């Protein structure tokens, strides 16, 4: 029977991320991190809460980013000037991080607060806040979430988004692919193929569910609890499969313009933001992430240097100047995205009013490889205070960044009391 389970485990991973039997010492089987069930109700669209997270792989020049004065009267630094028009719609935070070390190898913790290799025994693993929210409300839209980034650059591509089972969510890698996902209907041949795949996958789920139920009669009480988590995971996958079947019969929105061509990460950035805005406006999704990674090449901004090399600037004025140029461009595009959302009606308010937009990095200072004192901006979605808030960076008053993430999740309607390393809510 174990051979059958292993074969089914392989097939299930291809469409469910990961679904393997839990660790049962009494039967010496494999392991599973359980996923929580999601509700089946579909949302109303207009006025619904949404969330977007934008992450930069190499951080920002903190001396040019953070103001000195806190409150509403904070000065506009070099890197915050591009956001002058959006000032009243956002809050800048300092002192929030995850208390981790690891340099480039800890940047993937930006939205989770947990190192991947240290999260295996946690119920929620190193799930990121976008997937944490999507697990609860993602069934209300065609796409539970959209993950956008690149597979090029430092350390093998986008690592911004992770599931509860510790699986990296692969990114949509350019505007052409994102456009197709949002607006292009599958061919009749592909639709027929997906119907067959759904039927096969449903059959596999039925079979492995029966086998797991048979195992439950032969395990001790401790392992019975683990199997209960496994049954929850099966139900979760069944609901996702059902959701996919429902949306396969629903037409996609009409494309507002012709399919864009992929150029490069620098020139593609405005179009990626525009497509994410359209995804929110059409209620194709309510959760999206965008990572600006190592494939963001300075050459496309007229700088003949390596981005990674520049990040280790050693306080060289020319290198820092080049980095400020790169970072200002990224922040300018972020500001234009906020302005775009503010110009779209969403019921009785704007799309920005409905959308919490996080901007920052899991890297505090790339020159010294630190993951503390992270640059954080949160706009829209009730976070537009127009303030610069500075939290204690150490000591008993230290606030984990996950406290802010928990606040975002609860405002999105997620009824959970903790997330990652949170110790409470913070806004």
């Amino acid at each position: 029977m174990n051979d059958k389970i292993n074969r089914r485990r392989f097939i299930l991973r291809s469409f469910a991320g990961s679904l393997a039997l839990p660790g049962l010492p009494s039967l010496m089987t494999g392991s599973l991190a359980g996923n929580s069930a999601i509700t089946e109700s579909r949302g109303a669209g207009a006025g619904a809460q949404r969330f977007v997270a934008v992450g930069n792989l190499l951080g920002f020049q903190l001396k040019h980013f953070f103001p000195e004065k806190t409150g509403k009267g904070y000065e506009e630094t070099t890197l915050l000037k591009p956001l002058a028009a959006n000032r009243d719609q956002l809050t800048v935070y300092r002192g929030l991080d995850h208390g981790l070390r690891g340099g480039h190898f800890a940047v993937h913790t930006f939205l989770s607060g947990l190192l991947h290799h240290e999260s295996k025994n946690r119920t929620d693993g190193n799930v990121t806040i976008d997937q944490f929210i999507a697990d609860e409300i993602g069934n209300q839209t065609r796409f539970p979430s959209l993950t956008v980034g690149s597979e090029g650059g430092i350390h093998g591509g986008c690592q911004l988004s992770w599931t509860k089972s510790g699986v990296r969510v692969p990114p949509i890698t350019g505007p052409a692919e994102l456009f197709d996902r949002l607006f292009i209907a599958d061919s009749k041949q592909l639709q027929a193929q997906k119907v067959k795949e759904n039927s096969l996958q449903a059959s596999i789920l039925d079979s492995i569910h029966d086998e797991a139920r048979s195992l439950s009669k032969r395990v001790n009480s401790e392992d019975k609890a683990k199997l209960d988590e496994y049954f929850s995971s099966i139900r979760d996958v069944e609901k996702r499969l059902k959701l996919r079947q429902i949306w396969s019969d629903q037409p996609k929105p009409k494309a507002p313009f012709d399919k864009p061509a992929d150029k490069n990460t620098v020139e593609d950035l405005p179009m990626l933001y525009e497509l994410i805005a359209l995804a929110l406006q059409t209620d194709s999704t309510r959760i999206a992430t965008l990572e600006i990674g190592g494939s963001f090449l300075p050459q496309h901004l007229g700088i003949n240097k390596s981005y990674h090399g520049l990040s280790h600037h050693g306080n060289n004025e020319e290198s820092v100047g080049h980095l400020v140029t790169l970072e200002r461009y990224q922040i300018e595009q972020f500001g234009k995205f906020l302005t775009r959302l503010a110009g779209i009606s969403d019921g009785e308010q704007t799309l920005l009013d409905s959308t919490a937009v996080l901007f920052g990095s899991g890297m505090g200072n790339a020159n010294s490889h630190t993951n503390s004192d992270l640059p954080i901006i949160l706009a829209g979605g009730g976070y537009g205070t127009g303030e610069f808030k500075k939290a204690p960076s150490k000591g008993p008053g230290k606030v984990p960044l996950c406290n802010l993430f928990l606040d975002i999740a609860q405002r999105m309607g997620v009824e959970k009391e903790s997330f990652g390393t949170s110790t409470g809510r913070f806004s």
Side-chain angles (χ1 to χ4, degrees):
M1 183 172 66
N2 285 340
D3 289 340
K4 292 180 182 177
I5 290 173
N6 288 336
R7 286 196 297 273
R8 288 183 173 86
R9 179 187 307 168
F10 172 79
I11 296 172
L12 284 167
R13 278 178 176 167
S14 69
F15 80 99
S18 177
L19 186 61
L21 282 170
L24 306 177
S26 56
L27 291 179
M28 299 299 291
T29 56
S31 63
L32 169 82
N35 292 326
S36 62
I38 56 177
T39 60
E40 294 187 7
S41 62
R42 292 175 61 181
Q49 293 298 304
R50 300 165 173 88
F51 173 62
V52 176
V54 182
N56 171 306
L57 188 66
L58 292 170
F60 295 88
Q61 301 310 295
L62 301 184
K63 291 181 180 179
H64 298 276
F65 184 92
F66 286 125
E68 291 293 329
K69 185 178 180 181
T70 58
K72 291 182 178 291
Y74 71 87
E75 69 277 16
E76 290 181 351
T77 61
T78 301
L79 291 177
L80 293 182
K81 281 182 181 179
L83 299 177
N86 315 105
R87 181 175 176 129
D88 293 338
Q89 300 164 316
L90 57 81
T91 301
V92 182
Y93 297 87
R94 184 168 196 175
L96 304 180
D97 56 51
H98 300 304
L100 296 171
R101 296 180 180 179
H104 295 304
F105 296 99
V107 173
H108 71 275
T109 68
F110 177 44
L111 298 183
S112 70
L114 294 161
L115 292 163
H116 176 61
H117 67 272
E118 293 182 355
S119 63
K120 294 180 180 179
N121 295 323
R122 294 177 61 97
T123 302
D124 287 343
N126 65 318
V127 64
T128 47
I129 186 60
D130 60 307
Q131 296 305 303
F132 182 77
I133 297 171
D135 282 343
E136 299 297 323
I137 68 163
N139 63 311
Q140 298 173 4
T141 55
R142 180 186 296 275
F143 303 104
S145 66
L146 291 174
T147 300
V148 183
S150 69
E151 292 288 26
I154 304 168
H155 304 317
C158 181
Q159 298 193 47
L160 194 63
S161 185
W162 296 78
T163 69
K164 289 180 180 178
S165 356
V167 177
R168 179 186 73 102
V169 180
I172 298 168
T173 57
E177 181 184 358
L178 182 53
F179 182 91
D180 284 347
R181 294 274 190 100
L182 295 175
F183 302 115
I184 304 302
D186 294 334
S187 66
K188 291 184 178 180
Q189 181 180 4
L190 184 55
Q191 288 178 3
Q193 179 182 334
K194 287 184 176 181
V195 169
K196 290 182 179 180
E197 289 176 352
N198 288 344
S199 178
L200 172 62
Q201 290 158 1
S203 176
I204 292 169
L205 276 172
D206 288 341
S207 180
I208 197 168
H209 192 286
D210 290 343
E211 290 177 357
R213 183 174 294 170
S214 176
L215 282 176
S216 68
K217 301 175 182 179
R218 301 159 44 206
V219 299
N220 58 28
S221 58
E222 180 181 353
D223 288 342
K224 180 67 165 57
K226 293 181 181 179
L227 268 178
D228 287 342
E229 291 181 354
Y230 181 61
F231 287 133
S232 177
S233 292
I234 292 177
R235 289 191 294 270
D236 184 44
V237 173
E238 287 172 337
K239 289 176 182 178
R240 279 184 278 164
L241 179 59
K242 181 179 180 180
L243 181 66
R244 191 167 69 183
Q245 291 170 334
I246 291 172
W247 283 105
S248 66
D249 297 328
Q250 302 296 319
K252 291 184 177 181
K254 184 178 179 181
F257 46 74
D258 292 337
K259 179 177 177 178
D262 293 342
K263 297 177 181 178
N264 57 71
T265 306
V266 174
E267 294 179 77
D268 288 343
L269 192 56
M271 179 55 69
L272 290 174
Y273 272 126
E274 174 62 19
L275 290 170
I276 291 173
L278 290 172
L280 300 174
Q281 183 183 19
T282 58
D283 207 32
S284 297
T285 193
R286 295 178 189 168
I287 303 157
T289 60
L290 170 63
E291 181 171 80
I292 303 170
S295 60
F296 188 90
L297 301 180
Q299 289 79 3
H300 297 296
L301 286 174
I303 301 170
N304 191 26
K305 300 285 184 178
S306 158
Y307 193 3
H308 185 199
L310 285 171
S311 72
H312 298 289
H313 50 75
N315 294 318
N316 177 273
E317 288 187 14
E318 181 181 27
S319 296
V320 170
H322 287 323
L323 285 168
V324 169
T325 298
L326 297 177
E327 294 163 13
R328 275 183 63 97
Y329 175 80
Q330 293 176 23
I331 294 173
E332 284 169 0
Q333 301 311 316
F334 172 66
K336 291 178 180 179
F337 176 61
L338 298 182
T339 300
R340 180 76 170 99
L341 295 184
I344 299 175
S345 296
D346 185 47
E348 298 181 354
Q349 55 189 5
T350 72
L351 194 53
L352 183 59
D353 294 326
S354 306
T355 308
V357 188
L358 175 75
F359 182 90
S361 177
M363 180 70 75
N365 186 336
N367 184 53
S368 56
H369 275 176
T370 59
N371 306 103
S372 57
D373 200 17
L374 301 182
I376 301 293
I377 298 172
L378 190 53
Y383 293 97
T385 68
E387 295 180 80
F388 170 45
K389 296 184 178 183
K390 191 173 182 180
S393 58
K394 56 185 176 181
K398 171 69 178 170
V399 179
L401 178 55
C402 282
N403 285 17
L404 182 61
F405 292 167
L406 178 62
D407 190 76
I408 294 170
Q410 291 189 356
R411 292 194 191 198
M412 291 283 292
V414 178
E415 297 179 358
K416 301 284 187 178
E417 295 302 318
S418 65
F419 170 76
T421 58
S422 68
T423 58
R425 291 180 67 175
F426 175 80
S427 60

